[in-house]
Amino acid sequence: MTISAQDARAVHAQADCLAGPEALDTALNALAADITARLGDELPLVLCVMNGGLIPAAELLMRLAFPLEIDYLHASRYGMETQGQQLEWKAYPKTSVKGRTVLVVDDIFDQGHTLKAVCAYLYAQGAKCVLSAVMVNKLHNRKITNFQPDFVGLHIEDRFLYGFGMDYQGLYRNVKGIYAVKNH
């Protein structure tokens, strides 16, 4: 850890809340309705992208009232950095995706490299259909072309975000809100 608890508290005290609990609940309910309309008659495999997707996936899964299977994967381009590097696979899904409809759930769609690579990997492993859901789509013009998530909870301005799965120097993933670091 590179930041003290005291420094982290100071950052959080000055941060701007861009989406509070009510906005998150509204977005999650809309996401669940859209996903149910698309996958409610399937038996999908839902893959949580660790670590950021853990909280959004848990909250979303509790709103999906149809049969599904759950697994996870861990792939990251960031680690503890703010700029993405080469994709690093830390854990592959244990459940076979061959012939399956797969829903990948992640916290944020920033530039899109990680989510696109994960979806391509799943297709290469034989998935019949791969869909993606993210809690946040960050609004900027640095995204990769020819790839967008299928389901988006919130569209949020281009700032350094944390909370609800996203971290600030490894901390505050557990905050029920989406915050922007002041002057970052």
Side-chain angles (χ1 to χ4, degrees), residues 4-44:
S4 71
Q6 180 179 353
D7 289 343
R9 286 185 189 97
V11 167
H12 186 59
Q14 295 176 15
D16 297 320
C17 182
L18 303 181
E22 287 182 21
L24 292 174
D25 285 338
T26 299
L28 285 161
N29 289 338
L31 268 175
D34 291 347
I35 291 168
T36 298
R38 180 84 182 262
L39 297 176
D41 293 332
E42 304 259 347
L43 180 59

Side-chain angles (χ1 to χ4, degrees), residues 10-82:
V11 167
H12 186 59
Q14 295 176 15
D16 297 320
C17 182
L18 303 181
E22 287 182 21
L24 292 174
D25 285 338
T26 299
L28 285 161
N29 289 338
L31 268 175
D34 291 347
I35 291 168
T36 298
R38 180 84 182 262
L39 297 176
D41 293 332
E42 304 259 347
L43 180 59
L45 171 62
V46 179
L47 294 176
C48 170
V49 179
M50 299 297 283
N51 285 327
L54 177 64
I55 292 171
E59 292 278 341
L60 179 61
L61 287 167
M62 297 301 290
R63 290 167 165 84
L64 300 178
F66 57 86
L68 54 83
E69 192 173 358
I70 302 169
D71 200 345
Y72 73 95
L73 59 90
H74 194 166
S76 176
R77 289 183 61 240
Y78 293 98
M80 292 299 290
E81 305 299 320
T82 58

Side-chain angles (χ1 to χ4, degrees), residues 49-165:
V49 179
M50 299 297 283
N51 285 327
L54 177 64
I55 292 171
E59 292 278 341
L60 179 61
L61 287 167
M62 297 301 290
R63 290 167 165 84
L64 300 178
F66 57 86
L68 54 83
E69 192 173 358
I70 302 169
D71 200 345
Y72 73 95
L73 59 90
H74 194 166
S76 176
R77 289 183 61 240
Y78 293 98
M80 292 299 290
E81 305 299 320
T82 58
Q83 297 292 319
Q85 308 298 318
Q86 182 71 21
L87 185 67
E88 178 185 357
W89 281 90
K90 297 179 181 183
Y92 293 94
K94 302 291 187 246
T95 306
S96 173
V97 300
K98 189 172 178 124
R100 301 285 305 265
T101 296
V102 180
L103 174 65
V104 179
V105 180
D106 205 357
D107 55 352
I108 188 169
F109 187 71
D110 191 347
Q111 294 179 0
H113 297 284
T114 301
L115 193 56
K116 181 179 180 181
V118 165
C119 292
Y121 168 80
L122 296 169
Y123 273 121
Q125 297 303 304
K128 172 178 72 173
C129 175
V130 180
L131 301 170
S132 57
V134 296
M135 192 64 212
V136 172
N137 175 41
K138 194 187 271 190
L139 299 172
H140 58 69
N141 61 4
R142 299 180 310 277
K143 295 191 187 305
I144 59 172
T145 57
N146 72 1
F147 185 85
Q148 291 292 315
D150 299 285
F151 307 100
V152 174
L154 298 165
H155 300 276
I156 295 187
E157 63 189 270
D158 185 17
R159 294 183 60 193
F160 190 97
L161 305 176
Y162 70 91
F164 208 71

